């Protein structure tokens, strides 16, 4: 299974090896003690984490001082996807064919753009489709019910 980016180390915090982590995942359980991440070419285990000003302060096993923490600056924290059959995962949408209810092909999903109103499916044709128009997702195919004129 491919690893997903869960968050990113922003910077060190203090002198004892804590780092500030900006989470991408909306599952705070990802930072529970014992959680494992692939970071660059190594694996790190969470010892402790707590919310702090919209981000998290995290202590990893083996990271005991500011210099060790500084070496993590900017690195992505990667982990396996959480198993949740009811969840819709971005990585499952990318590469899917996008079709309307009547079977009209609209392209392939190349990315999902974070947008306050609704995330947007970006298609290889350049079209942007609000995810709120997504009706179903089966392996390799997303079905949408867009309003008239969306693709004009």
């Amino acid at each position: 299974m491919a690893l997903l980016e869960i968050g990113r180390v922003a910077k060190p915090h203090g002198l004892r090896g804590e780092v500030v982590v900006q989470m991408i995942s909306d599952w705070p359980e990802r930072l529970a003690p014992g959680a494992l991440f692939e970071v660059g070419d190594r694996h790190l285990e969470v010892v402790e984490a707590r919310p702090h000003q919209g981000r998290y302060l995290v202590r990893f096993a083996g990271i005991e001082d500011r210099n060790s923490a500084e070496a993590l600056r900017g690195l992505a924290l990667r982990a396996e996807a959480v198993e949740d059959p009811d969840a819709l995962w971005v990585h499952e949408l990318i590469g899917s064919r996008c079709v309307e209810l009547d079977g009209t092909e609209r392209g392939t999903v190349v990315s999902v753009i974070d947008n306050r109103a609704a995330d947007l499916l970006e298609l290889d044709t350049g079209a942007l489709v609000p995810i709120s128009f997504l009706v179903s997702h089966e392996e390799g195919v997303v079905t949408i019910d867009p309003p008239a004129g969306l693709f004009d």
Side-chain angles (χ1 to χ4, degrees):
M1 176 181 278
L3 297 178
L4 305 177
E5 186 172 329
I6 305 305
R8 195 165 280 277
V9 177
K11 62 183 181 176
H13 180 81
L15 301 174
R16 298 183 184 199
E18 270 189 319
V19 293
V20 176
V21 171
Q22 179 67 51
M23 291 294 286
I24 295 170
S25 172
D26 57 356
W27 292 56
E29 301 86 6
R30 291 282 203 175
L31 293 174
L36 295 173
F37 292 102
E38 183 178 288
V39 181
D41 60 351
R42 63 196 284 198
H43 290 84
L44 293 177
E45 180 180 347
V46 174
V47 172
E48 178 182 33
R50 65 186 189 280
H52 177 72
Q53 299 178 352
R55 298 187 282 185
Y56 289 85
L57 296 180
V58 180
R59 218 168 36 87
F60 292 108
I63 307 297
E64 304 296 333
D65 59 33
R66 187 170 182 89
N67 288 338
S68 298
E70 182 65 47
L72 301 177
R73 182 189 291 263
L75 295 180
L77 303 174
R78 298 173 21 161
E80 290 186 9
V82 173
E83 293 296 324
D84 183 349
D86 298 326
L88 182 63
W89 301 103
V90 169
H91 70 279
E92 293 175 347
L93 299 176
I94 295 173
S96 296
R97 291 181 17 252
C98 182
V99 298
E100 291 188 43
L101 287 172
D102 66 4
T104 303
E105 294 269 344
R106 290 299 181 177
T108 301
V109 178
V110 294
S111 73
V112 178
I113 300 170
D114 184 30
N115 183 30
R116 282 188 178 194
D119 289 346
L120 301 169
L121 301 176
E122 180 182 14
L123 305 182
D124 60 352
T125 61
L128 299 175
V129 180
I131 205 161
S132 55
F133 299 144
L134 190 138
V135 175
S136 68
H137 173 256
E138 295 178 23
E139 185 139 352
V141 179
V142 293
T143 304
I144 60 170
D145 187 13
L150 181 67
F151 294 99
D152 292 341

